[in-house]
Amino acid sequence: MKKFEEKTIRTEEIFDGKVVKLQVDEVLLPNGKRSTRELIKHPGAVAVIPITKDNKIVFVEQFRKPLEKSLIEIPAGKLEPGEKPEITAIRELEEETGYTTSQLTFVTSFYTSPGFADELMYLYLSRDLEKVDQPLAPDEDEFVEIIELTLAEAKEYVSKERIHDAKTNYAIVYLELLERML
Amino acid sequence: MKKFEEKTIRTEEIFDGKVVKLQVDEVLLPNGKRSTRELIKHPGAVAVIPITKDNKIVFVEQFRKPLEKSLIEIPAGKLEPGEKPEITAIRELEEETGYTTSQLTFVTSFYTSPGFADELMYLYLSRDLEKVDQPLAPDEDEFVEIIELTLAEAKEYVSKERIHDAKTNYAIVYLELLERML
């Protein structure tokens, strides 16, 4: 018995899409009462903090439909079923930025919103970037623009909320910490 | 015209639950083609990094149904419609930990997963914690246990993936940075 476990009495599948699935579970609470939980199933994702040889961070700007605006983020993408996160990371880096790398360091992983979603994000740091002559094309419904920034510039974008998502904000504070540790 | 804007052609409401809504938008892409976007609407959330007078961080352990396991997280909760995040923060802190505070500092805010959800997370730091004699009760379907840890202990929990979510991992690296800046 896991602590505070909520046993599933019944699962109702509501939606099965190209990115997310939604189900509603009826659960038995630790106190014997019943409740419902709304659960988003997501394949998981990978993000890369790419650092160029002149110590700039490579970001991509893209429109985020849920927010009806564009954000500046580190390159990222969804895991394919059965794919190793490192493989996804290298591919998304090339597709979105035109860079590749032979050097990928695991930084951390985290659930993005464990209250309602199972999305797990893997975060890597990559140096020794090399421009690819004919990079892989992004997904056909993906439109991104590359922006290379110093850490100080990136912090400005955080304060203006142009950089404003969990993985990228994490990346910025992580890089600040790295800089202090040198 | 916003950069790379995706104009909505049609919205299909799929689900309207107690926590999330799900809709599928048919969109016109910047290249004139059409695609669909699956969007989760969420009321937004608030989290607090509570630091006790003896410099421990107050966490709560709770079962997370989407993951079928419990995580150790900083206290957090959903925004009520129209509620100021600071008010939510103080209430959730008291409900989940039995502490209150007169001192709340804004740390950052971020979208937890902007590719498919509009959830915005506000993060605060709180010191000068006071134990409440008869604290507000948690939500009736919420079961949490308090765990107070030093920063070094918390980092151990990160490495064991018992602390494993965006807001809490952010909090840990942020506190590490604060410590280096002293």
Side-chain angles (χ1 to χ4, degrees):
Chain A
M1 174 73 184
K2 297 170 203 157
K3 193 181 288 182
F4 304 134
E5 183 167 4
E6 299 174 354
K7 288 202 182 294
T8 306
I9 298 166
R10 201 172 61 91
T11 293
E12 187 186 359
E13 313 274 357
I14 307 283
F15 178 77
D16 186 356
K18 61 179 180 175
V19 178
V20 299
K21 295 181 188 188
L22 169 65
Q23 70 187 51
V24 178
D25 282 8
E26 190 182 351
V27 299
L28 190 63
L29 299 172
N31 64 0
K33 293 190 176 173
R34 292 184 178 203
S35 188
T36 56
R37 299 296 183 204
E38 298 160 13
L39 312 176
I40 301 294
K41 303 282 184 178
H42 184 282
V46 166
V48 184
I49 311 171
I51 312 285
T52 65
K53 293 190 174 79
D54 57 350
N55 214 29
K56 295 218 176 160
I57 312 155
V58 185
F59 297 91
V60 292
E61 180 168 3
Q62 65 186 311
F63 190 77
R64 290 306 203 174
K65 189 66 186 167
L67 321 179
E68 291 293 348
K69 64 182 178 186
S70 69
L71 287 183
I72 296 169
E73 303 169 44
I74 53 174
K78 286 190 301 293
L79 277 170
E80 300 293 332
E83 188 176 53
K84 281 196 176 171
E86 292 80 2
I87 303 296
T88 318
I90 300 277
R91 189 188 60 236
E92 292 291 339
L93 176 67
E94 181 173 333
E95 284 182 3
E96 295 194 349
T97 71
Y99 282 111
T100 192
T101 183
S102 56
Q103 193 265 13
L104 208 58
T105 311
F106 177 72
V107 173
T108 193
S109 67
F110 47 71
Y111 292 101
T112 53
S113 200
F116 68 90
D118 71 348
E119 184 192 24
L120 181 58
M121 169 72 69
Y122 296 86
L123 186 57
Y124 295 89
L125 183 72
S126 132
R127 297 186 193 270
D128 290 326
L129 301 182
E130 297 287 345
K131 269 284 179 196
V132 177
D133 277 343
Q134 303 209 309
L136 298 168
D139 296 340
E140 62 174 9
D141 65 351
E142 198 173 44
F143 300 85
V144 302
E145 191 171 280
I146 302 172
I147 305 174
E148 300 191 0
L149 300 172
T150 64
L151 181 54
E153 288 166 341
K155 286 170 65 178
E156 272 296 300
Y157 278 88
V158 171
S159 70
K160 290 187 285 185
E161 300 186 345
R162 297 283 294 118
I163 289 177
H164 203 199
D165 83 293
K167 65 183 178 301
T168 312
N169 283 34
Y170 183 98
I172 303 298
V173 70
Y174 173 77
L175 290 175
E176 276 192 79
L177 177 61
L178 275 192
E179 208 166 66
R180 297 262 171 184
M181 289 168 74
L182 287 181
Chain B
M1 175 70 186
K2 296 169 203 156
K3 192 182 286 178
F4 303 135
E5 183 167 4
E6 300 174 355
K7 288 201 181 295
T8 306
I9 298 167
R10 202 172 60 92
T11 292
E12 186 185 359
E13 313 274 359
I14 307 282
F15 178 76
D16 186 355
K18 61 179 182 176
V19 178
V20 299
K21 295 180 188 188
L22 170 65
Q23 71 187 50
V24 178
D25 282 8
E26 189 181 350
V27 299
L28 191 63
L29 299 173
N31 64 0
K33 294 190 176 172
R34 294 184 178 203
S35 188
T36 57
R37 300 295 183 204
E38 299 160 12
L39 313 176
I40 302 294
K41 302 284 183 177
H42 184 282
V46 165
V48 184
I49 312 171
I51 311 286
T52 65
K53 293 189 175 79
D54 58 348
N55 215 27
K56 294 220 175 157
I57 313 155
V58 186
F59 297 92
V60 292
E61 180 167 3
Q62 66 188 121
F63 190 77
R64 290 306 203 173
K65 190 64 186 169
L67 321 178
E68 290 293 349
K69 65 182 178 186
S70 70
L71 288 184
I72 296 169
E73 304 169 43
I74 52 173
K78 287 190 300 291
L79 277 171
E80 300 293 333
E83 190 175 53
K84 280 195 177 171
E86 291 81 1
I87 304 295
T88 318
I90 299 277
R91 188 187 60 236
E92 292 290 339
L93 177 66
E94 181 174 333
E95 284 181 3
E96 295 192 350
T97 71
Y99 283 111
T100 191
T101 184
S102 56
Q103 193 264 14
L104 209 59
T105 310
F106 177 72
V107 172
T108 194
S109 67
F110 47 70
Y111 293 101
T112 53
S113 200
F116 68 91
D118 70 350
E119 184 192 24
L120 180 58
M121 170 71 69
Y122 296 86
L123 186 57
Y124 295 89
L125 183 73
S126 131
R127 297 187 194 267
D128 290 328
L129 301 182
E130 298 287 345
K131 268 285 178 196
V132 177
D133 277 343
Q134 302 209 309
L136 298 168
D139 297 339
E140 61 173 10
D141 64 350
E142 197 174 46
F143 301 85
V144 302
E145 191 170 277
I146 302 173
I147 305 174
E148 300 191 1
L149 300 172
T150 64
L151 180 55
E153 288 166 343
K155 285 169 66 177
E156 272 297 299
Y157 278 88
V158 172
S159 70
K160 290 187 286 186
E161 299 186 346
R162 297 283 294 117
I163 289 176
H164 204 199
D165 84 293
K167 65 183 179 302
T168 312
N169 283 35
Y170 183 99
I172 303 299
V173 69
Y174 174 77
L175 290 175
E176 277 193 81
L177 177 61
L178 275 193
E179 207 166 66
R180 297 262 170 185
M181 289 167 75
L182 288 181

